[in-house]
Amino acid sequence: MSAAERLSRRFFARPADVVAHALIGQVLVCGERAGIVVETEAYLGPDDKASHARFGATARTSVMFGPGGVSYVYLIYGMYDMFNIVTGRDGEGQAVLVRAAHPERGIAGGPAAAAGPGKLCRAFGISRARHHGVDLTASPELFLARGSRVARARVARGPRIGIDYAGEWAPVPLRFWLAGHPAVSRAR
DNA sequence: CTAAGGATTTCT
DNA sequence: GAAATCCTTAGC
């Protein structure tokens, strides 16, 4: 078997909604652990009222305004890490949140171990302390690799979760998932 | 259903 | 400084 093909800068340099869709079916690798991405959400930049980028570049969000292909990991609700990938070009402030994965290798806890963004980080061992601001196109530990192709018809899309405060942006369908996969969040 | 939990941001 | 907010999960 040939070495896994790592996703390149070019892959991540596209708009967040394009990357979020294209990430479904790709392989997330963290050390010895790996799984197939089955749910993502796109955050389009400072104008997107649901995005952390809506306040501009702050101490927390500065990496969002760097080049695509870099990780953005933050803490939510005081206890859960969220794994995001910056997309687009330098300065655009776009990112994709990886919400769920199908465990493939090295992950304890069964099929549901990476169902949900907080559980995904725990299952893969992704932490803010060690994996924030990592270049996924260069890191030997944390990166994305090309998975088997997923037919477009199998990728569903709908509104993002937990962003009711985002006004006109709340209903915009920027969440993507593998249709019918058990690890995908239930819509609210 | 709701409590827990800590950081971030904005407001006074 | 203080307080409200928060892209969640586990446990009643």
Side-chain angles (χ1 to χ4, degrees), chain A residues 13-29:
Chain A
R14 298 175 291 169
D17 55 333
V18 175
V19 176
H21 190 161
L23 274 173
I24 302 298
Q26 311 294 0
V27 182
L28 173 61
V29 180

Side-chain angles (χ1 to χ4, degrees), chain A residues 6-183:
Chain A
R6 175 191 294 244
L7 299 184
S8 68
R9 183 83 59 203
R10 179 176 298 175
F11 180 93
F12 296 109
R14 298 175 291 169
D17 55 333
V18 175
V19 176
H21 190 161
L23 274 173
I24 302 298
Q26 311 294 0
V27 182
L28 173 61
V29 180
C30 185
E32 297 304 310
R33 310 176 199 190
I36 298 173
V37 176
V38 298
E39 184 180 5
T40 60
E41 285 180 358
Y43 290 86
L44 297 184
D47 293 335
D48 180 348
K49 295 298 184 260
S51 173
H52 283 175
R54 68 190 183 281
F55 299 128
T58 65
R60 177 173 59 150
T61 64
S62 62
V63 307
M64 290 183 79
F65 291 86
V70 175
S71 65
Y72 168 44
V73 182
Y74 68 89
L75 184 70
I76 191 69
Y77 300 135
M79 51 188 112
Y80 300 108
D81 285 313
M82 301 278 127
F83 174 59
N84 301 253
I85 303 168
V86 180
T87 74
R89 297 181 160 283
D90 199 355
E92 291 184 334
Q94 301 192 43
V96 171
L97 169 65
V98 180
R99 294 185 53 88
H102 179 81
E104 281 283 294
R105 187 180 77 224
I107 294 174
K119 293 168 79 174
L120 180 145
C121 285
R122 198 177 54 189
F124 279 82
I126 295 172
S127 70
R128 187 170 40 118
R130 290 172 48 230
H131 301 104
H132 175 62
V134 169
D135 185 350
L136 304 177
T137 67
S139 168
E141 183 189 10
L142 181 63
F143 57 93
L144 275 295
R146 193 162 298 283
S148 54
R149 198 177 178 297
V150 174
R152 287 184 74 86
R154 293 193 60 207
V155 180
R157 68 184 294 176
R160 295 169 290 183
I161 288 180
I163 55 152
D164 289 346
Y165 59 88
E168 64 194 274
W169 286 88
V172 180
L174 290 174
R175 182 167 71 101
F176 300 85
W177 66 92
L178 188 60
H181 194 281

